[in-house]
C-alpha cells in the first residue's frame, strides 16, 4: 500500500520557539471537525505529558491548509527522533485522544526532531563595522549560531537561545560563557614567564 502520510509538512522545530505546522485537510461533511497534533517532546514514548497536544476546529465546508501553532518547550529532547501524531475527525473526543478508535477521519504519524542553538552576544547595532550577532543583522551578515550537540561544548555549560543576545558586556546569553577562565589584563601580563620585563 502507498504511504498516506502526506497531509503534513513538518517544519524545523527549535527549542523555545513556536513552530507553524501546515496541515492540508478537507472537511466537506457539514459538521465541524477537530484537528489535533501530538508531539512527544520528552521522547518517552507517549503523548501524555503537559504541552504535548495542540488542536483546532475546522469548519464543515473547508478544503485547504490549516496552520497549527506549536510551542516547542525548553525541555524538549534534542537531536533525537520523537513521535508525532495528527488526528482529524468529526468526533472531537476521539481526535483529542492519542490512542483508540475514531468513527471517521484519518490519523497520520511522523518522526521529527527538535533542535537548540547557542548564539553569540557581542554588541550589535545592525550597521557595517558592528559585530553580527542577531539572525536579522542589517550590517555585515547573520550572527553566529551553533546547533547544540551532546558532548560538544566549551566550558562547563551551554545554553540555548532563539536569537543573539547582544549587549555591551557580551554577557547577554547568560552563564554559559565559562570556557575561558580569564584574560590577561595588560600586554606585560601576556609575556612568557621567562621574559624580562
Amino acid at each position: 500500500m502507498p504511504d498516506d502520510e502526506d497531509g503534513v509538512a513538518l517544519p524545523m522545530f527549535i527549542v523555545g520557539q513556536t513552530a507553524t505546522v501546515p496541515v492540508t485537510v478537507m472537511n466537506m461533511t457539514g459538521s465541524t471537525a477537530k484537528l489535533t497534533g501530538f508531539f512527544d517532546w520528552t521522547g518517552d514514548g507517549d503523548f501524555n505529558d503537559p504541552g504535548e497536544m495542540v488542536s483546532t476546529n475546522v469548519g464543515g465546508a473547508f478544503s485547504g491548509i490549516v496552520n497549527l501553532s506549536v510551542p516547542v518547550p525548553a525541555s524538549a529532547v534534542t537531536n533525537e527522533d520523537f513521535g508525532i501524531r495528527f488526528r482529524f475527525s468529526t468526533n472531537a473526543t476521539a481526535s483529542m485522544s492519542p490512542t483508540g478508535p475514531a468513527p471517521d477521519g484519518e490519523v497520520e504519524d511522523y518522526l521529527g526532531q527538535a533542535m537548540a542553538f547557542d548564539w553569540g552576544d557581542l554588541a550589535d547595532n545592525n550597521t557595517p563595522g558592528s559585530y553580527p550577532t542577531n539572525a536579522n543583522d542589517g550590517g555585515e551578515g547573520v550572527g553566529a549560531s551553533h546547533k547544540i550537540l551532546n558532548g560538544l561544548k566549551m566550558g562547563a555549560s551551554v545554553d540555548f537561545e532563539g536569537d543573539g543576545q547582544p549587549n555591551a558586556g557580551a554577557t547577554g546569553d547568560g552563564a554559559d560563557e565559562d570556557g575561558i577562565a580569564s584574560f590577561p589584563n595588560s600586554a606585560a601580563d601576556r609575556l612568557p614567564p621567562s621574559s624580562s620585563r
Side-chain angles (χ1 to χ4, degrees), residues 128-181:
S130 73
Y131 300 106
T133 301
N134 292 318
N136 293 322
D137 185 274
E140 297 183 7
V142 174
S145 66
H146 293 248
K147 182 179 174 185
I148 297 173
L149 296 177
N150 290 335
L152 183 64
K153 63 182 177 180
M154 293 183 281
S157 64
V158 62
D159 61 2
F160 72 89
E161 299 91 27
D163 198 353
Q165 305 293 311
N167 72 11
T171 58
D173 68 353
D176 74 327
E177 264 53 13
D178 58 4
I180 298 173

Side-chain angles (χ1 to χ4, degrees), residues 4 49 58 83 105 127 131 133 176 183:
D4 71 339
D49 300 295
V58 178
T127 62
Y131 300 106
T133 301
D176 74 327
F183 286 102

Side-chain angles (χ1 to χ4, degrees), residues 57-193:
N57 291 325
V58 178
F62 180 84
S63 181
I65 294 176
V66 173
N67 288 313
L68 283 177
S69 291
V70 181
V72 183
S75 59
V77 65
T78 58
N79 307 314
E80 295 179 15
D81 286 344
F82 63 87
I84 301 172
R85 172 167 290 162
F86 295 90
R87 298 191 78 173
F88 188 50
S89 175
T90 60
N91 185 304
T93 302
S95 176
M96 294 178 68
S97 173
T99 60
D104 56 26
E106 186 177 5
V107 59
E108 292 192 1
D109 286 347
Y110 299 84
L111 289 175
Q113 287 193 0
M115 293 172 271
F117 292 86
D118 181 43
W119 286 76
D121 56 6
L122 284 170
D124 181 355
N125 61 12
N126 294 325
T127 62
S130 73
Y131 300 106
T133 301
N134 292 318
N136 293 322
D137 185 274
E140 297 183 7
V142 174
S145 66
H146 293 248
K147 182 179 174 185
I148 297 173
L149 296 177
N150 290 335
L152 183 64
K153 63 182 177 180
M154 293 183 281
S157 64
V158 62
D159 61 2
F160 72 89
E161 299 91 27
D163 198 353
Q165 305 293 311
N167 72 11
T171 58
D173 68 353
D176 74 327
E177 264 53 13
D178 58 4
I180 298 173
S182 65
F183 286 102
N185 292 326
S186 68
D189 291 337
R190 291 192 288 271
L191 292 174

